[in-house]
Amino acid sequence: MVFSAPLFLLVFLPLTLAAYYLAPRAARNAVLLVASLLFYAWGELRYVPLVLASIAFNGWIGLRIAAATATAPRRRALATAIVVNVGTLAVFKYANFAVENWTAVAPWLTGVPSATAMATIPLPLGISFFTFHAISYVVDVYKRNAAPERRLGTFALYILLFPQLIAGPIIRWRDIATQLTGRRERLAEVAYGVRRFVTGLAKKVLIANTLGRIADPIFALPVGELTPAVAWLGLVCYTLQIYFDFSGYSDMAIGLMRMLGFRILENFNYPYIARSVREFWRRWHISLSNWFRDYLYVPLGGNRRGRLREYANLIVVFILCGLWHGASWPFVLWGAWHGVFLVAERAGLARLLARARWAAHAYALAVVMLGWVLFRCDTLAHAARYYAALAGASDADPVLRPLQQWLDPLALATLALAVILSAPVAPALGRWRDRRWPRAGAAVEVASMVTLLVLATAFLAAGTYNPFIYFRF
């Protein structure tokens, strides 16, 4: 169940909010826990026992870590937690990938065909996110950065909270622990949450979905029909689609949390205005970037053990970041691609870029966009063909696939709007409006939210194309 699905918007969300606010304050966490379990079960009923087992294990091991006084037992308990969590993720997410690759290379290594085979393991919904939540919890308890939770229901709610269960943002236990037991819902916060949710819904439905209807068929074209102009149009549309898709989801998650009395950190901050790859990752999927920094890069040594070790750590972290997104070689190379440019910036490229602001912005945008080809293509062969088309190495007839085929008035308007809104133009206009017409601001905002909600609902009612790109991670 995704947030833009009619079932969620018209049934699940209204009923959940009604039950939540009609319940006594002491029972509201129980209402949320039941609703979150139903939310997950609707999307992935067969893996509910897996999620519950993860909750029970991590809740128990966190208490063991906190109770141990000697260093050795604490380390053993932490190691056990990490092995179990990473092992579970590896089995469900990477076992198929490992077997496929072993089957391919075994004849070269052994001289005989591999007899290894296994049934495809379906990927549990949200496993990357709830596993990372669990790991951050046990590590923070081990480092004494957070107190363990002794009430299993409260810990279960932390893992299962439906606004962040499927695709984040990744919320650390220490940032939300007190809110789980001591939050106060206020009308102004609920109103902000509604506005934020509607904004995210509009970004997702009106912009991302419209651009996806251009990007998806272009990326699916046979190589003989992919001209350079069409290839670049597809890449531009996908670049904007993935931003408005995932940032829209994050806006909806943040808005839902506000409606329920929770405050969580921002997850996007206009990443396409970055002037370096390093700055891009400070603005894109911020909760994931911070997680890899604090729970992998720093433990590996960060930048404290010399330049070569720092560069190696960056490459390792971003290869694993690519693998986290998906078990395929395009994702591995996508991560390595970003890691290589981060190393180049640390090695001196950043100083050169600092001399020319617009050149730096063009460089960062080019690196990110070209990286999205690997992210979008299912195979390395597909990515290679797409890169060839981008570079002009295509014999496709432009008459067969003219740009006009994709760019109707709605597409052109959406593309222009997406480019504008990918920069911090809307907040600047809001501040200008409030200075110019301070009394009209609230009325304009309400009218805007109603208009966006009506348009988004109309678009959802008119079509069935409503994917979430990050839903599969």
Side-chain angles (χ1 to χ4, degrees):
M1 189 191 307
V2 296
F3 295 162
S4 56
L7 179 64
F8 179 87
L9 293 170
L10 302 177
V11 180
F12 180 86
L13 182 57
L15 290 178
T16 298
L17 289 175
Y20 179 79
Y21 279 102
L22 289 174
R25 184 168 298 279
R28 288 181 178 177
N29 277 0
V31 171
L32 277 185
L33 183 57
V34 171
S36 297
L37 273 170
L38 290 173
F39 179 83
Y40 191 85
W42 185 270
E44 198 74 275
L45 179 60
R46 62 184 161 183
Y47 282 130
V48 168
L50 174 68
V51 178
L52 296 179
S54 174
I55 290 168
F57 169 76
N58 285 288
W60 170 77
I61 203 74
L63 293 175
R64 287 290 301 273
I65 292 171
T69 55
T71 301
R74 286 170 54 80
R75 286 181 176 173
R76 283 197 297 270
L78 176 65
T80 300
I82 291 175
V83 167
V84 170
N85 281 294
V86 174
T88 302
L89 184 62
V91 167
F92 283 98
K93 194 165 185 175
Y94 305 110
N96 296 322
F97 180 58
V99 169
E100 288 171 6
N101 283 278
W102 170 250
T103 302
V105 303
W108 298 90
L109 298 176
T110 65
V112 295
S114 171
T116 305
M118 63 180 291
T120 301
I121 302 175
L123 185 64
L125 199 61
I127 188 172
S128 298
F129 287 94
F130 69 71
T131 301
F132 270 29
H133 277 97
I135 291 173
S136 69
Y137 169 76
V138 296
V139 171
D140 284 349
V141 170
Y142 173 80
K143 291 182 175 181
R144 304 191 194 281
N145 290 331
E149 178 52 56
R150 302 188 180 280
R151 292 159 297 189
L152 185 59
T154 302
F155 179 69
L157 183 58
Y158 162 64
I159 298 293
L160 287 171
L161 260 173
F162 73 87
Q164 52 80 43
L165 176 59
I166 303 302
I170 299 172
I171 305 169
R172 302 188 192 190
W173 169 254
R174 66 177 186 242
D175 293 332
I176 202 173
T178 57
Q179 297 182 55
L180 286 167
T181 56
R183 66 189 178 280
R184 286 291 181 269
E185 303 85 354
R186 295 177 175 85
L187 183 59
E189 294 290 306
V190 174
Y192 174 85
V194 172
R195 294 196 301 272
R196 191 67 181 268
F197 182 86
V198 171
T199 300
L201 180 66
K203 288 166 69 173
K204 162 70 184 114
V205 174
L206 302 181
I207 298 179
N209 284 4
T210 301
L211 296 177
R213 289 190 181 96
I214 303 172
D216 286 354
I218 288 178
F219 271 89
L221 283 176
V223 64
E225 300 179 21
L226 191 61
T227 64
V230 170
W232 277 105
L233 174 63
L235 182 54
V236 169
C237 287
Y238 182 72
T239 297
L240 293 166
Q241 178 200 2
I242 193 170
Y243 168 66
F244 284 97
D245 183 279
F246 194 26
S247 70
Y249 181 95
S250 292
D251 286 340
M252 286 188 276
I254 291 169
L256 288 169
M257 293 291 274
R258 284 290 186 95
M259 292 182 211
L260 300 169
F262 295 94
R263 280 178 169 264
I264 60 175
L265 299 177
E266 294 294 333
N267 207 30
F268 285 85
N269 184 22
Y270 298 101
Y272 291 152
I273 68 170
R275 293 195 292 273
S276 67
V277 175
R278 185 179 186 181
E279 184 185 356
F280 171 81
W281 280 102
R282 289 175 174 172
R283 294 173 174 273
W284 176 275
H285 203 345
I286 299 168
S287 63
L288 179 66
S289 303
N290 291 346
W291 196 100
F292 272 104
R293 179 196 65 200
D294 295 341
Y295 298 105
L296 187 57
Y297 177 70
V298 171
L300 286 174
N303 59 0
R304 304 187 305 275
R305 299 182 182 178
R307 285 289 181 89
L308 291 180
R309 180 63 178 272
E310 176 189 1
Y311 298 160
N313 290 341
L314 284 170
I315 296 294
V316 168
V317 166
F318 274 87
I319 286 175
L320 292 176
C321 179
L323 268 175
W324 179 87
H325 282 87
S328 71
W329 286 110
F331 282 119
V332 172
L333 289 186
W334 175 76
W337 170 267
H338 281 266
V340 166
F341 280 99
L342 285 166
V343 168
E345 290 175 9
R346 298 285 180 96
L349 179 59
R351 290 192 295 273
L352 296 175
L353 294 172
R355 299 175 184 176
R357 179 175 179 176
W358 288 106
H361 180 253
Y363 147 80
L365 196 56
V367 169
V368 170
M369 288 180 66
L370 291 173
W372 287 138
V373 174
L374 290 166
F375 198 92
R376 177 60 180 77
C377 293
D378 294 328
T379 65
L380 293 179
H382 184 194
R385 293 193 298 269
Y386 206 93
Y387 281 127
L390 291 173
S394 170
D395 296 328
D397 185 354
V399 177
L400 181 64
R401 295 289 185 183
L403 283 180
Q404 292 81 356
Q405 174 183 348
W406 318 98
L407 295 176
D408 57 28
L410 176 62
L412 283 169
T414 303
L415 192 56
L417 184 63
V419 171
I420 293 170
L421 294 182
S422 65
V425 174
L429 289 175
R431 291 191 295 271
W432 175 82
R433 178 204 64 201
D434 291 342
R435 288 195 303 269
R436 191 75 178 269
W437 301 291
R439 296 182 180 179
V444 171
E445 192 161 20
V446 169
S448 300
M449 291 301 106
V450 171
T451 301
L452 290 177
L453 183 59
V454 170
L455 287 174
T457 304
F459 269 63
L460 286 173
T464 58
Y465 182 84
N466 189 31
F468 252 129
I469 294 176
Y470 265 72
F471 192 68
R472 60 194 175 110
F473 303 134

